[in-house]
Amino acid sequence: MSSVDIPREQWATRIGFIFAAVGSAVGLGNIWRFPFQVGQEGGAAFLLIYLLFIVLIGFPAMLVEFVVGRYTERNPVGALKEVGSGAWEYVGWIFIATGFVILSYYSVVAGWTIRYTLLGLQDGYLADAAEAEGQFVELASGLDAILFHALFMGVVIVIVAYGIQRGIELAVKVMVPAIILITIGMAVYAFTLDGASEAYAYYLSPEFSVIAAEWTSILPAAAGQAFFTLSLGMGVMITYASYLGEDRNLAEDGAIVIGFDTAIAFITGLIVFPILFTAGVDPADPGAGAIFVSLAAAFGDLTLGWLIGTIFFGTVAIAALSSAISLMEVVVSYIIDERGVDRSRAAIGIGGGMFLLGIPSAYDLVLLDLFDLFADQILLVLGGLLLTILVGWLISDLAVRELERGIGDLGSIGTAWVWAVRVPVVLALVAALYLGILEYIAFIQEGFLPWLTEQ
Ligand code: PHE
């Protein structure tokens, strides 16, 4: 079989591409991690730093992936082969590996969101925090978790198998507007709750003293979050941009994607905190399964909480789905381009493999952490860093020319972009990688090895 003669797929519309990229970016990172980071790390002061990082690091790095994808019109492995020589071509492999590992457990977590959507419709949520935690432990691992992991992966496979226009583009054109509308609707609802004003004060009051005291940990955390939330570092944006036909203004598209991603993250905080404060749940103690424990307990306490909870978890499930299809597409595009396998087979084969790799994560939370920390804090950052070095330092002329296609002569702005990529982005990623490795070693020693000896 060979795909050489088949014309490569393309997005049907500009909005299709933008929605797909927004769908990828908006996920668990926005809905859970972001508001809690803001709440804990100094409120509005952290928000300012984060926005600065999005602009200074996230935006240039997203354009790096966009130009590589559009220029080569290939999957990440093929793309890196084309723009990099020698060992650089192997950077594409890191992207494939990262996507494969991340989706394996992302699907397990997404399975929980489906389970929790149904929970609201069945028995409602448990108001007692300890009971809610017990319920989560029960549902998060074991047969239940594996079944919902399979269900979620099955849906991802079907969407990806239908291809760019009829699968992914169609799906995101429904999902992304739904996510946006429901999120806004829920923020309006949350505004009416008793705890709203207290919550806003907690979420939005700047505590500059926290930043001054803890900037060494806040800065890399903000950089890492910027990268993760924008789906950078695993070739998603390379892959999605590779399906762009005409010469569009990539900077404008990137700004739109980033604007939506940041807005959804911010608005989610306006939902989560009023709910927690109204139910009297402490927002300062998140932890791994927090959305399924403290927030679920808050839903157990609110009037009509089962309904609000169902809508909330349903939205999270949709957000996870639109992120998951982008991860699968990275790997599937590689199999199609480089191996000539047809799309449906590629999706089924890859999805099946990811499902199997996810089973340990559905078996025990410690194993999920083991995969998550490795992929998120090491692989993703490493892939992003190497790509940034390649594009910023070695092929920057080509990259600027590609960025100018669809915009026009960039002049000094092009130079500014290249230097943003060369220095701040590279430095942020080096710092994030260093801290990620330290954290991983600590986790192996304090979490994984003790767990292993207990088995
Ligand atoms: N950007 C997603 C989020 O914020 C996570 C993600 C990363 C999804 C990479 C796909 C690829 O949750």
Side-chain angles (χ1 to χ4, degrees), residues 22-298:
V22 171
S24 174
V26 174
L28 291 170
N30 305 57
I31 294 181
W32 194 244
R33 209 160 148 224
F34 178 78
F36 278 87
Q37 265 187 334
V38 177
Q40 288 185 325
E41 314 255 13
F46 175 84
L47 196 61
L48 283 178
I49 293 193
Y50 173 81
L51 290 178
L52 197 73
F53 273 51
I54 285 283
V55 174
L56 219 68
I57 292 173
F59 185 51
M62 180 173 283
L63 295 184
V64 164
E65 294 206 15
F66 278 175
V67 295
V68 170
R70 188 177 66 179
Y71 176 77
T72 60
E73 296 186 10
R74 302 215 76 73
N75 67 90
V77 171
L80 270 287
K81 253 187 223 165
E82 194 172 326
V83 296
S85 49
W88 287 105
E89 71 174 57
Y90 297 106
V91 175
W93 283 104
I94 302 179
F95 291 138
I96 305 293
T98 314
F100 204 94
V101 176
I102 292 194
L103 188 50
S104 75
Y105 66 81
Y106 202 89
S107 167
V108 174
V109 177
W112 302 342
T113 64
I114 302 179
R115 186 72 193 84
Y116 271 73
T117 307
L118 298 179
L119 203 60
L121 296 174
Q122 294 168 327
D123 327 311
Y125 303 94
L126 300 171
D128 183 85
E131 284 178 25
E133 175 141 21
Q135 183 175 42
F136 172 67
V137 170
E138 204 175 292
L139 296 176
S141 322
L143 197 59
D144 236 54
I146 294 175
L147 284 177
F148 283 94
H149 164 47
L151 174 68
F152 182 81
M153 194 66 90
V155 178
V156 179
I157 290 174
V158 170
I159 295 176
V160 171
Y162 270 100
I164 296 301
Q165 291 189 6
R166 288 191 309 139
I168 298 180
E169 189 164 347
L170 201 63
V172 295
K173 276 184 177 162
V174 179
M175 290 194 283
V176 171
I179 296 168
I180 295 171
L181 289 179
I182 300 173
T183 306
I184 294 174
M186 289 198 73
V188 173
Y189 156 80
F191 174 74
T192 65
L193 292 173
D194 293 341
S197 52
E198 207 188 336
Y200 296 152
Y202 169 82
Y203 184 42
L204 300 173
S205 63
E207 294 241 6
F208 289 101
S209 58
V210 180
I211 305 255
E214 290 175 34
W215 63 274
T216 47
S217 72
I218 290 178
L219 295 189
Q225 170 70 4
F227 235 69
F228 182 78
T229 189
L230 296 177
S231 299
L232 298 172
M234 66 200 79
V236 165
M237 296 303 171
I238 295 181
T239 310
Y240 273 3
S242 78
Y243 298 116
L244 280 171
E246 64 210 76
D247 293 347
R248 282 192 278 249
N249 183 333
L250 290 179
E252 200 176 279
D253 289 3
I256 295 174
V257 172
I258 288 177
F260 272 112
D261 184 74
T262 308
I264 296 281
F266 178 71
I267 296 173
T268 308
L270 300 178
I271 300 172
V272 168
F273 291 115
I275 290 176
L276 291 178
F277 274 91
T278 305
V281 176
D282 185 3
D285 118 79
I291 153 171
F292 305 99
V293 177
S294 44
L295 197 63

